[in-house]
Amino acid sequence: MSSTDVRQVSDRTGHLAYDVFINEPPPQDGLLPNGEPKQFSPQASTLVHGAEDAVLVDAPLTADQARALGDWVAGKGRNLTDIFITHGHGDHWFTAGLLADRFGARVVATEGTIGQMHGAVASRSLLWDKLYSGIPPAAVTAVAVPDNRFTLEGHDLVMVEVGHTDSDDTTVLHVPDLELVVAGDAIYNGVHMYLGQSAVGGFGPWREAIDKVEALEPRHIVAGHQNRRLDDDARRTLAETREYLDDADELLRTETTALDFFNAKIERYPDHLGRMVLWVSARALYGVREHPGEDVAKVVRASWL
Ligand SMILES: [Zn+2]
C-alpha cells in the first residue's frame, strides 16, 4: 500500500486547496495473456480542504486501502464534512461507509449515482468479491442534496452530471474557485480506460461527457485512475482521454480478436498502467460482438473473471 501527496493548488486567498491520495491496486491472483500478473489500476481520492473543513471525493475498494487513505486524511487535521461519490462502481465507494463512520462525515452523490450504487451492491458477489478479499460490507448511505450543490467554507462544490462514461449516470465535482474538476472515471490519466460498459452503444456518450467537462473550463482535472507521476493538466488529460477512445474505435475496426486488441493497445500505450483493465475491456468489447443475443451484463461481468 503506498500513497502520496501528489499535488496541491490553492485559490487566491489560500483558504482552499486540494491534495490527491493514490491507493495502489489490491492484491490479486492470476496472469494476463502476456504473462504479467493481473493488477487493477491505481485509485485516486481527492481531498478538497479549507482552513478547518474538508471534503473527500471517492473512497477505495478494500478496508486496507480505506485505512491508508483515512490515516492520510486524519493527518491533514481538518474536519471531514462530506464524502462525495462520483459514480456507482465499487472501486469508488465500497469503503465510503467505513470512512464516514471514522470521521463522522456525510456521504453525498446524485440520485442517478445512488441508483447505480444499489446496482453495485446487488452484483458485488458476482464480481468484486470474486476478485479481491477485504471489501467491507457496503450499504448505500449516500444522500442527494438540493440542486446537486453543497459548500465548503462558503466555496461552491457542484456535482455535474455527465451521463455515461465508463458506466451509467456518472458525475464529476466542479470546484470553480480552484478551477478544478475531480473527474471520477469520466477522464483518465496515464491508465487504461475501462471500455467494457461501452460495448453496446459505442463511445459517443463518453465523448459528450468529455465535452461537458471541458465546458467547465477547468485548469486542473483529477482523474479517478491515474499514474502518480503525471500532473493534473486539464488540456492534456481531456485530449488524451479523447484520443484513447479514437484509438479504440480504430482498433475495433482493424483487430480481429480481443488478444489482438490488447496487444495493439499496449503497443500504442506502452507506459499506461492497469493492463488488467485493458484485458477486461478487450474481452468485453469482443465478447459482446461475438455473442449477439446474449445477456450483455453477463458477458461484460464474465470478462472480469
Ligand atoms: Zn473506477
Side-chain angles (χ1 to χ4, degrees):
M1 205 64 53
S2 69
S3 63
T4 180
D5 290 353
V6 280
R7 55 205 74 107
Q8 184 163 37
V9 171
S10 302
D11 74 349
R12 284 174 295 279
T13 61
H15 292 319
L16 194 69
Y18 78 94
D19 285 309
V20 180
F21 180 94
I22 298 171
N23 258 299
E24 292 303 320
Q28 181 169 1
D29 294 330
L31 299 176
L32 295 171
N34 60 0
E36 287 174 24
K38 281 188 176 177
Q39 204 179 35
F40 195 60
S41 307
Q43 299 154 250
S45 295
T46 302
L47 193 73
V48 182
H49 51 88
E52 289 172 8
D53 294 340
V55 168
L56 183 68
V57 183
D58 285 348
L61 191 58
T62 69
D64 283 349
Q65 291 179 320
R67 198 170 307 114
L69 171 62
D71 291 348
W72 175 83
V73 169
K76 297 293 176 187
R78 304 303 203 284
N79 167 44
L80 188 68
T81 57
D82 293 281
I83 301 173
F84 168 67
I85 305 301
T86 57
H87 64 292
H89 279 158
D91 59 314
H92 294 260
W93 76 270
F94 275 167
T95 60
L98 276 187
L99 288 160
D101 286 349
R102 175 167 174 177
F103 293 101
R106 175 179 69 158
V107 183
V108 294
T110 61
E111 293 286 4
T113 292
I114 291 170
Q116 296 293 322
M117 293 165 92
H118 285 287
V121 169
S123 62
R124 66 171 276 178
S125 66
L126 302 171
L127 177 64
W128 294 110
D129 290 324
K130 287 186 190 269
L131 296 170
Y132 305 106
S133 59
I135 304 174
V140 180
T141 58
V143 295
V145 295
D147 300 326
N148 288 337
R149 286 168 180 270
F150 58 120
T151 58
L152 173 62
E153 296 182 356
H155 298 276
D156 279 328
L157 305 181
V158 188
M159 308 173 187
V160 179
E161 299 185 291
V162 297
H164 179 90
T165 58
D166 79 342
S167 56
D168 290 335
D169 301 317
T170 68
T171 69
V172 301
L173 189 69
H174 183 212
V175 189
D177 289 344
L178 288 175
E179 299 177 280
L180 168 69
V181 166
V182 186
D185 288 354
I187 306 293
Y188 278 63
N189 189 1
V191 174
H192 287 290
M193 293 165 57
Y194 175 49
L195 308 177
Q197 287 179 243
S198 302
V200 175
F203 304 129
W206 201 330
R207 290 190 174 98
E208 288 169 23
I210 297 168
D211 293 346
K212 286 177 194 158
V213 173
E214 187 172 44
L216 301 171
E217 300 185 350
R219 271 182 34 176
H220 318 284
I221 293 179
V222 179
H225 299 287
Q226 57 173 278
N227 182 332
R228 70 175 72 241
R229 297 206 305 271
L230 299 172
D231 64 21
D232 293 340
D233 184 75
R235 198 170 306 176
R236 179 182 60 77
T237 53
L238 287 163
E240 289 179 4
T241 301
R242 286 191 176 111
E243 190 184 338
Y244 192 95
L245 296 178
D246 293 346
D247 277 342
D249 266 335
E250 186 194 328
L251 295 176
L252 280 166
R253 286 191 296 272
T254 59
E255 305 305 311
T256 311
T257 68
L259 184 58
D260 295 336
F261 183 94
F262 175 80
N263 288 330
K265 268 285 194 192
I266 288 177
E267 205 167 297
R268 288 190 189 196
Y269 295 87
D271 298 326
H272 264 40
L273 304 176
R275 288 177 179 174
M276 186 199 76
V277 171
L278 169 61
W279 180 230
V280 172
S281 297
R283 290 179 71 199
L285 291 166
Y286 285 81
V288 168
R289 175 192 284 188
E290 290 160 8
H291 300 92
E294 268 185 41
D295 178 3
V296 171
K298 217 169 136 185
V299 172
V300 171
R301 207 157 50 227
S303 66
W304 283 88
L305 306 174

